[in-house]
Amino acid sequence: MEVVIRPDAEDAGRTVAGIIHHAILEGSKTLGLATGSSPLGVYQDLARRHRQEGLSFSGVDAFLLDEYVGLPPSHPQSYSQVIRRELVDHINLDPTRVHAPHGTASDPQQEARRFEHALAAAGPVGVQLLGIGVNGHIGFNEPGSSLASRTRLKTLTDDTRRDNARFFGGLEEVPRHVITQGLATIGEASHLVLIATGPHKAHAVAATVEGPVSAQCPASILQLHPHATVVVDELAAARLEQQPYYRHIASHKPPGQGY
Ligand code: GLP
């Protein structure tokens, strides 16, 4: 796993956008997208690269990590709608190529299986972008999720519902259930790129990078992946014990491998 420490959130976002840009230039055609506030700087910089540097998403398929059960795609807080507003509307990614679980499917379990199959048919995902919850969740795989899990129906913890209430009119409006890619599903992407910024993420980042691989910190599966990059700002890096080593690595990259 590589840890990249950037001065601030904006710089971290630009770094991750650069990784995605490079993957697309190399011919990657399947992209894994995440929601939440962490990737917003990434999406802004991808839009800028599209406008100013000719980065094209033509022919790219994008798969979302998760979706709230019960929210139609037209709901402003459905992840389909969030990704449309924050990214797709600003680049040339064909909206019909953006794939998310359907939150209003009559049988969510069946919908989870359908999504898993669609992903397997189009995959593997090239770069999978990830945020992280303060409890170490990725996608909506809460602590205790099986490390071997596949896309499925999950129940949110009250902590996660409280964290996400800021996007809704109040806690009672936050759905209790979600469909999320499983940890093993996520692990099939060729390159996992996690972005975390701000002091509230420092504990989860330390557990992910330097703690044991454990279902209690779902993001710790990155340690099992052959190509995982964790991009953090100084605040989110604050609890990492091996910071000097990560900085040393970053300043001694082989030619052509820097960020
Ligand atoms: C939600 C999403 C996750 C995201 C997390 C953190 O729970 N399902 O994919 O990583 O929020 O959100 P934020 O980036 O806003 O802190």
Short mmCIF file of all heavy atoms in Angstrom, two decimals, residues 125-160:
data_model
loop_
_atom_site.label_atom_id
_atom_site.label_comp_id
_atom_site.label_asym_id
_atom_site.label_seq_id
_atom_site.Cartn_x
_atom_site.Cartn_y
_atom_site.Cartn_z
N VAL A 125 -13.07 -3.23 -12.69
CA VAL A 125 -12.93 -1.79 -12.58
C VAL A 125 -11.44 -1.45 -12.62
O VAL A 125 -10.62 -2.18 -12.04
CB VAL A 125 -13.58 -1.33 -11.25
CG1 VAL A 125 -13.15 0.08 -10.87
CG2 VAL A 125 -15.09 -1.46 -11.33
N GLY A 126 -11.08 -0.37 -13.32
CA GLY A 126 -9.68 0.05 -13.35
C GLY A 126 -9.31 0.70 -12.03
O GLY A 126 -8.75 0.07 -11.14
N VAL A 127 -9.68 1.99 -11.89
CA VAL A 127 -9.46 2.69 -10.62
C VAL A 127 -10.79 2.72 -9.86
O VAL A 127 -11.81 3.15 -10.39
CB VAL A 127 -8.97 4.14 -10.85
CG1 VAL A 127 -8.90 4.89 -9.52
CG2 VAL A 127 -7.63 4.14 -11.53
N GLN A 128 -10.77 2.24 -8.63
CA GLN A 128 -11.93 2.37 -7.74
C GLN A 128 -11.64 3.44 -6.72
O GLN A 128 -10.75 3.31 -5.87
CB GLN A 128 -12.23 1.05 -7.02
CG GLN A 128 -13.34 1.15 -5.97
CD GLN A 128 -14.70 1.50 -6.57
OE1 GLN A 128 -15.21 0.75 -7.40
NE2 GLN A 128 -15.27 2.64 -6.19
N LEU A 129 -12.39 4.54 -6.81
CA LEU A 129 -12.26 5.63 -5.85
C LEU A 129 -13.05 5.28 -4.58
O LEU A 129 -14.17 4.78 -4.67
CB LEU A 129 -12.82 6.90 -6.52
CG LEU A 129 -12.83 8.18 -5.73
CD1 LEU A 129 -11.45 8.56 -5.21
CD2 LEU A 129 -13.39 9.30 -6.61
N LEU A 130 -12.45 5.57 -3.43
CA LEU A 130 -13.10 5.27 -2.15
C LEU A 130 -12.98 6.46 -1.20
O LEU A 130 -11.91 7.08 -1.13
CB LEU A 130 -12.44 4.07 -1.46
CG LEU A 130 -12.47 2.73 -2.19
CD1 LEU A 130 -11.46 1.77 -1.58
CD2 LEU A 130 -13.88 2.15 -2.16
N GLY A 131 -14.05 6.76 -0.48
CA GLY A 131 -13.96 7.60 0.71
C GLY A 131 -13.89 6.66 1.90
O GLY A 131 -13.77 5.44 1.75
N ILE A 132 -13.97 7.20 3.09
CA ILE A 132 -13.98 6.34 4.28
C ILE A 132 -14.86 6.99 5.35
O ILE A 132 -14.82 8.21 5.53
CB ILE A 132 -12.54 6.10 4.80
CG1 ILE A 132 -12.53 5.12 5.98
CG2 ILE A 132 -11.84 7.40 5.16
CD1 ILE A 132 -11.14 4.65 6.38
N GLY A 133 -15.66 6.18 6.01
CA GLY A 133 -16.46 6.68 7.12
C GLY A 133 -15.59 6.81 8.36
O GLY A 133 -14.53 6.18 8.45
N VAL A 134 -16.04 7.57 9.34
CA VAL A 134 -15.22 7.74 10.56
C VAL A 134 -15.07 6.41 11.30
O VAL A 134 -14.13 6.23 12.08
CB VAL A 134 -15.78 8.82 11.51
CG1 VAL A 134 -15.63 10.21 10.91
CG2 VAL A 134 -17.23 8.56 11.87
N ASN A 135 -15.95 5.46 11.04
CA ASN A 135 -15.83 4.14 11.67
C ASN A 135 -15.09 3.14 10.77
O ASN A 135 -15.07 1.95 11.05
CB ASN A 135 -17.21 3.59 12.06
CG ASN A 135 -18.11 3.36 10.85
OD1 ASN A 135 -17.70 3.54 9.71
ND2 ASN A 135 -19.34 2.96 11.09
N GLY A 136 -14.48 3.64 9.70
CA GLY A 136 -13.67 2.77 8.83
C GLY A 136 -14.47 2.10 7.73
O GLY A 136 -13.94 1.25 7.02
N HIS A 137 -15.75 2.49 7.54
CA HIS A 137 -16.50 1.83 6.46
C HIS A 137 -16.08 2.33 5.09
O HIS A 137 -15.66 3.48 4.93
CB HIS A 137 -18.02 1.92 6.69
CG HIS A 137 -18.67 3.23 6.40
ND1 HIS A 137 -19.38 3.94 7.34
CD2 HIS A 137 -18.74 3.97 5.26
CE1 HIS A 137 -19.86 5.04 6.79
NE2 HIS A 137 -19.48 5.08 5.52
N ILE A 138 -16.17 1.46 4.11
CA ILE A 138 -16.02 1.85 2.70
C ILE A 138 -17.26 1.36 1.96
O ILE A 138 -17.80 0.31 2.29
CB ILE A 138 -14.71 1.32 2.05
CG1 ILE A 138 -14.54 -0.18 2.23
CG2 ILE A 138 -13.51 2.08 2.58
CD1 ILE A 138 -13.33 -0.73 1.47
N GLY A 139 -17.67 2.14 0.93
CA GLY A 139 -19.02 1.92 0.41
C GLY A 139 -19.93 2.07 1.62
O GLY A 139 -19.81 3.03 2.39
N PHE A 140 -20.82 1.12 1.82
CA PHE A 140 -21.59 1.11 3.07
C PHE A 140 -21.33 -0.19 3.81
O PHE A 140 -22.22 -0.75 4.45
CB PHE A 140 -23.08 1.29 2.78
CG PHE A 140 -23.54 2.72 2.81
CD1 PHE A 140 -24.34 3.22 1.79
CD2 PHE A 140 -23.22 3.57 3.86
CE1 PHE A 140 -24.79 4.54 1.81
CE2 PHE A 140 -23.66 4.89 3.89
CZ PHE A 140 -24.45 5.37 2.86
N ASN A 141 -20.11 -0.69 3.74
CA ASN A 141 -19.73 -1.87 4.50
C ASN A 141 -19.34 -1.43 5.90
O ASN A 141 -18.22 -0.97 6.14
CB ASN A 141 -18.55 -2.58 3.82
CG ASN A 141 -18.94 -3.16 2.48
OD1 ASN A 141 -19.53 -4.24 2.40
ND2 ASN A 141 -18.65 -2.42 1.41
N GLU A 142 -20.29 -1.57 6.80
CA GLU A 142 -20.08 -1.13 8.18
C GLU A 142 -19.16 -2.12 8.90
O GLU A 142 -18.97 -3.26 8.44
CB GLU A 142 -21.43 -1.07 8.89
CG GLU A 142 -22.41 -0.05 8.30
CD GLU A 142 -22.13 1.38 8.73
OE1 GLU A 142 -20.96 1.76 8.92
OE2 GLU A 142 -23.12 2.15 8.85
N PRO A 143 -18.57 -1.71 10.04
CA PRO A 143 -17.73 -2.64 10.81
C PRO A 143 -18.48 -3.95 11.08
O PRO A 143 -19.67 -3.94 11.41
CB PRO A 143 -17.46 -1.87 12.11
CG PRO A 143 -17.49 -0.43 11.68
CD PRO A 143 -18.58 -0.36 10.64
N GLY A 144 -17.78 -5.04 10.89
CA GLY A 144 -18.40 -6.37 11.03
C GLY A 144 -18.72 -6.98 9.69
O GLY A 144 -19.02 -8.18 9.61
N SER A 145 -18.64 -6.19 8.60
CA SER A 145 -18.90 -6.74 7.26
C SER A 145 -17.88 -7.82 6.94
O SER A 145 -16.68 -7.66 7.21
CB SER A 145 -18.79 -5.64 6.20
OG SER A 145 -19.84 -4.71 6.33
N SER A 146 -18.35 -8.89 6.33
CA SER A 146 -17.44 -9.96 5.94
C SER A 146 -16.41 -9.45 4.94
O SER A 146 -16.74 -8.72 3.99
CB SER A 146 -18.23 -11.10 5.28
OG SER A 146 -17.34 -11.93 4.57
N LEU A 147 -15.17 -9.85 5.15
CA LEU A 147 -14.12 -9.48 4.19
C LEU A 147 -14.36 -10.14 2.84
O LEU A 147 -13.77 -9.75 1.85
CB LEU A 147 -12.74 -9.87 4.74
CG LEU A 147 -12.36 -9.30 6.12
CD1 LEU A 147 -10.91 -9.63 6.45
CD2 LEU A 147 -12.57 -7.79 6.19
N ALA A 148 -15.21 -11.17 2.82
CA ALA A 148 -15.51 -11.89 1.57
C ALA A 148 -16.85 -11.45 0.97
O ALA A 148 -17.36 -12.09 0.06
CB ALA A 148 -15.53 -13.39 1.84
N SER A 149 -17.42 -10.35 1.49
CA SER A 149 -18.78 -9.98 1.09
C SER A 149 -18.88 -9.51 -0.36
O SER A 149 -17.93 -8.97 -0.93
CB SER A 149 -19.33 -8.89 2.02
OG SER A 149 -18.42 -7.81 2.12
N ARG A 150 -20.07 -9.73 -0.91
CA ARG A 150 -20.44 -9.30 -2.27
C ARG A 150 -21.55 -8.26 -2.15
O ARG A 150 -22.06 -8.00 -1.07
CB ARG A 150 -20.92 -10.51 -3.06
CG ARG A 150 -19.84 -11.54 -3.31
CD ARG A 150 -18.95 -11.06 -4.44
NE ARG A 150 -17.69 -11.78 -4.46
CZ ARG A 150 -16.70 -11.49 -5.32
NH1 ARG A 150 -16.82 -10.51 -6.17
NH2 ARG A 150 -15.59 -12.17 -5.28
N THR A 151 -21.95 -7.70 -3.28
CA THR A 151 -23.01 -6.68 -3.26
C THR A 151 -24.26 -7.25 -2.60
O THR A 151 -24.71 -8.34 -2.95
CB THR A 151 -23.33 -6.23 -4.70
OG1 THR A 151 -22.12 -5.83 -5.34
CG2 THR A 151 -24.32 -5.07 -4.69
N ARG A 152 -24.79 -6.50 -1.63
CA ARG A 152 -25.92 -7.03 -0.85
C ARG A 152 -26.65 -5.90 -0.15
O ARG A 152 -26.18 -4.76 -0.11
CB ARG A 152 -25.42 -8.04 0.18
CG ARG A 152 -24.59 -7.38 1.27
CD ARG A 152 -23.47 -8.28 1.67
NE ARG A 152 -22.68 -7.71 2.76
CZ ARG A 152 -21.83 -6.68 2.63
NH1 ARG A 152 -21.70 -6.03 1.48
NH2 ARG A 152 -21.13 -6.27 3.67
N LEU A 153 -27.75 -6.29 0.48
CA LEU A 153 -28.55 -5.36 1.28
C LEU A 153 -27.94 -5.25 2.67
O LEU A 153 -27.61 -6.27 3.28
CB LEU A 153 -29.97 -5.93 1.36
CG LEU A 153 -31.01 -5.18 2.16
CD1 LEU A 153 -31.29 -3.81 1.55
CD2 LEU A 153 -32.31 -6.01 2.19
N LYS A 154 -27.78 -4.03 3.17
CA LYS A 154 -27.18 -3.83 4.50
C LYS A 154 -28.01 -2.84 5.31
O LYS A 154 -28.72 -2.00 4.76
CB LYS A 154 -25.77 -3.23 4.37
CG LYS A 154 -24.71 -4.16 3.87
CD LYS A 154 -24.31 -5.20 4.89
CE LYS A 154 -23.42 -4.63 5.99
NZ LYS A 154 -23.03 -5.66 6.96
N THR A 155 -27.87 -2.94 6.62
CA THR A 155 -28.50 -1.99 7.54
C THR A 155 -27.43 -1.03 8.04
O THR A 155 -26.36 -1.47 8.46
CB THR A 155 -29.11 -2.75 8.74
OG1 THR A 155 -30.03 -3.72 8.25
CG2 THR A 155 -29.82 -1.79 9.69
N LEU A 156 -27.71 0.26 7.99
CA LEU A 156 -26.73 1.26 8.45
C LEU A 156 -26.67 1.33 9.97
O LEU A 156 -27.68 1.12 10.65
CB LEU A 156 -27.09 2.64 7.90
CG LEU A 156 -27.01 2.80 6.39
CD1 LEU A 156 -27.39 4.23 6.00
CD2 LEU A 156 -25.61 2.48 5.89
N THR A 157 -25.51 1.64 10.50
CA THR A 157 -25.41 1.93 11.93
C THR A 157 -26.04 3.31 12.19
O THR A 157 -26.13 4.14 11.28
CB THR A 157 -23.93 2.00 12.41
OG1 THR A 157 -23.30 3.09 11.73
CG2 THR A 157 -23.18 0.70 12.11
N ASP A 158 -26.44 3.53 13.43
CA ASP A 158 -27.01 4.84 13.76
C ASP A 158 -25.96 5.94 13.61
O ASP A 158 -26.27 7.07 13.24
CB ASP A 158 -27.59 4.83 15.17
CG ASP A 158 -28.98 4.21 15.18
OD1 ASP A 158 -29.59 4.12 14.09
OD2 ASP A 158 -29.44 3.81 16.25
N ASP A 159 -24.69 5.59 13.88
CA ASP A 159 -23.62 6.60 13.73
C ASP A 159 -23.54 7.07 12.28
O ASP A 159 -23.43 8.27 12.02
CB ASP A 159 -22.26 6.00 14.13
CG ASP A 159 -22.09 5.93 15.64
OD1 ASP A 159 -22.90 6.56 16.35
OD2 ASP A 159 -21.16 5.25 16.09
N THR A 160 -23.57 6.14 11.35
CA THR A 160 -23.48 6.52 9.94
C THR A 160 -24.71 7.32 9.53
O THR A 160 -24.60 8.31 8.79
CB THR A 160 -23.33 5.25 9.06
OG1 THR A 160 -22.08 4.63 9.40
CG2 THR A 160 -23.34 5.59 7.58
#
